[in-house]
Amino acid sequence: MRIAPKLAFLLLLFQACSSGSESAESTDNAGGQAGIEVPEGFKAEVYADDLGKGRHMASRANGDLYLRLSYPENGESIVALRDSNQDGIVDRKVYFEEIDGGTGIKVHNGYLYFSTDTQVFRRRFNGNELVPSGERELILTLAAQNQHAAKPLAFDDEGNMYVTIGAPSNACQDPSRTKGVAGQDPCPLLESSGGIWKFRASTPNQTFEDGENFATGIRHAVGITWNPNHSKLYAMQHGRDQLHEFWPEIYTAKQSAELPGEEFLRIEEGSDFGWPYCYYDWQKRVKLLNPEYGGTGDSIGRCGNVDLPLMGFPGHWAPNAIEFYNQDQFPVNYKGGAFIAFHGSWNRAPFPQEGYRVVFVPFSGPDPISGYQSFATGFSGLNDQPESPASAKYRPCGLAVGSKGSLFISDSQEGRIWRISYEGN
């Protein structure tokens, strides 16, 4: 299934970087600075702080929020948060689950699902309890990987669970990440990784063999979500690295800093987005052949037959979460649109690192209707171009829409969560 561009004007705005509206400086609950900027009419507050290195979040219908930690805090790797009196301040904070850290976490059909890099578990909620009291059930076990190992989760309305199995590779070279080495053709990694697999959400003790390869040619999609309004799976793909470092005769350092694009995908069963043979040039708006497979920087070849993204973003911004907004608190133009959290780059040197922001993409039906708008910025400190990820004060990683319509953003550096609410007309 090849997704063709629908209207020319949809493509003209891909490089838009801001909404053009005024910004409102955010405050925390103690009256100080929350450290980020959001559009006029919105308010950003620190909802919780110093939680540990946060990854994805899940929101429950009663307003409770759950944060998955990449590393356990005092042996426990999920944080449950409750604002009992709805004053915007967390008054209950409970750490639980003595398992390895991870990324994926979702509330689905009365259960809290959560993943490590190799397993998926769930626990049932009983009533309004903050921490689910049901016994931990092992749903899925997968093989260990040495890179791109995060296992984000999504669920449809028919009892299926979707799990990213990222490719443990940059461009399917052997040896990996080596200058001038051709890619393996066909790439053997695609048999067990480099895509999204579908499993049964309620069947215990599944393994890789119990799953179905739902979509392929996806190097690594950390942000995935099911949009129930249109019964579609959406994802954000991390593009490959090191074009100039490995192929300096083809790509300049500047080209390598901007390419390839980070891809916004709508995924149908059987989709093939072309990795490792192809990458997306967001400036030319075309899939091109990777140099490991004979590409020269403008070669299309076999890439003319793979699926296209809905849109592309500048290279190496590292999209780590996507969340559709289907609540009523925000203005009507946000209804049905998508928020995307960019974790920020590491490999754009000698140019400044980029990303470190949350953007909004307006939708009409199942399709974007224009380019993206920077929604929340300033995470990395005095500017959004740190020298390295380590020098960024905060890095947005997870997103969740609360039961009252606020947007929550988690940070992977200091363990902060922001709550974004709308107070304008």
Side-chain angles (χ1 to χ4, degrees):
M1 184 276 299
R2 191 175 193 274
I3 303 173
K6 296 189 70 175
L7 293 172
F9 79 88
L10 301 185
L11 300 173
L12 296 177
L13 299 175
F14 281 4
Q15 299 179 43
C17 290
S18 68
S19 64
S21 61
E22 296 182 21
S23 294
E25 199 167 71
S26 57
T27 59
D28 64 20
N29 291 320
Q33 299 304 314
I36 62 173
E37 291 188 349
V38 291
E40 188 70 26
F42 289 87
K43 182 179 181 180
E45 301 173 287
V46 176
Y47 188 67
D49 218 346
D50 300 319
L51 298 174
K53 295 185 180 299
R55 296 290 287 179
H56 284 178
M57 292 181 290
S59 175
R60 200 175 173 202
N62 67 356
D64 292 343
L65 193 67
Y66 299 85
L67 175 67
R68 192 75 175 95
L69 300 179
S70 56
Y71 301 100
E73 291 283 318
N74 297 318
E76 297 173 309
S77 60
I78 299 176
V79 190
L81 303 167
R82 176 173 287 181
D83 175 9
S84 301
N85 59 6
Q86 300 295 305
D87 65 351
I89 302 174
V90 170
D91 47 48
R92 288 195 64 193
K93 178 175 66 175
V94 181
Y95 289 79
F96 66 104
E97 283 305 327
E98 294 182 352
I99 59 173
D100 291 339
T103 292
I105 188 165
K106 291 284 186 182
V107 173
H108 176 68
N109 280 355
Y111 287 86
L112 182 67
Y113 285 77
F114 46 95
S115 69
T116 67
D117 287 348
T118 59
Q119 294 178 306
V120 179
F121 302 92
R122 72 174 186 176
R123 288 179 62 176
R124 174 179 281 280
F125 289 103
N126 293 297
N128 196 44
E129 60 191 5
L130 178 58
V131 175
S133 57
E135 291 293 323
R136 184 199 304 164
E137 298 179 65
L138 176 61
I139 300 298
L140 175 64
T141 299
L142 296 168
Q145 296 170 275
N146 60 8
Q147 57 179 306
H148 305 149
K151 298 297 184 294
L153 309 172
F155 297 85
D156 65 19
D157 301 320
E158 298 180 352
N160 297 308
M161 175 178 71
Y162 300 86
V163 182
T164 290
I165 304 181
S169 173
N170 183 42
C172 205
Q173 296 171 298
D174 186 16
S176 183
R177 295 185 185 260
T178 304
K179 183 177 179 179
V181 171
Q184 300 173 85
D185 194 0
C187 177
L189 297 175
L190 291 174
E191 297 176 7
S192 58
S193 64
I196 295 175
W197 267 255
K198 182 170 72 173
F199 300 88
R200 297 302 295 170
S202 301
T203 302
N205 298 313
Q206 295 173 88
T207 63
F208 176 81
E209 288 71 23
D210 297 307
E212 173 190 335
N213 188 192
F214 187 75
T216 191
I218 303 171
R219 177 174 174 264
H220 195 33
V222 183
I224 64 172
T225 191
W226 182 262
N227 188 338
N229 289 344
H230 308 291
S231 297
K232 299 290 184 184
L233 183 68
Y234 291 80
M236 291 297 306
Q237 176 173 217
H238 284 232
R240 54 91 39 93
D241 304 319
Q242 299 165 300
L243 285 169
H244 174 69
E245 182 178 348
F246 296 154
W247 304 94
E249 67 277 16
I250 300 176
Y251 300 93
T252 67
K254 181 63 174 175
Q255 287 176 312
S256 187
E258 296 291 342
L259 296 173
E262 311 284 41
E263 299 180 46
F264 189 0
L265 311 176
R266 183 175 65 236
I267 301 173
E268 308 286 352
E269 187 167 8
S271 292
D272 182 354
F273 293 98
W275 184 90
Y277 314 112
C278 311
Y279 69 89
Y280 186 66
D281 187 319
W282 63 278
Q283 296 164 322
K284 297 176 180 177
R285 306 176 193 129
V286 66
K287 289 269 186 170
L288 295 176
L289 197 62
N290 263 315
E292 288 81 2
Y293 296 91
T296 61
D298 56 10
S299 309
I300 295 178
R302 69 173 85 176
C303 302
N305 297 319
V306 303
D307 294 332
L308 293 173
L310 292 173
M311 60 187 296
F313 294 85
H316 316 299
W317 279 20
N320 268 17
I322 175 174
E323 191 80 12
F324 281 91
Y325 190 83
N326 293 310
Q327 295 283 0
D328 297 319
Q329 182 190 130
F330 289 8
V332 66
N333 53 300
Y334 286 89
K335 189 87 169 186
F339 287 98
I340 302 167
F342 287 97
H343 200 217
S345 63
W346 64 268
N347 62 340
R348 293 172 63 100
F351 302 95
Q353 302 304 316
E354 296 278 2
Y356 306 95
R357 70 186 70 191
V358 174
V359 309
F360 176 72
V361 178
F363 265 62
S364 177
D367 300 307
I369 58 173
S370 70
Y372 64 91
Q373 308 163 356
S374 287
F375 179 79
T377 59
F379 292 94
S380 61
L382 296 178
N383 59 64
D384 286 324
Q385 296 181 327
E387 293 182 0
S388 70
S391 63
K393 185 169 179 58
Y394 303 109
R395 300 182 71 189
C397 189
L399 298 171
V401 176
S403 59
K404 302 295 185 182
S406 294
L407 177 70
F408 294 88
I409 305 170
S410 64
D411 154 62
S412 67
Q413 298 279 77
E414 302 290 338
R416 174 171 286 192
I417 294 177
W418 293 265
R419 181 170 69 96
I420 315 298
S421 57
Y422 186 72
E423 298 185 338
N425 295 324

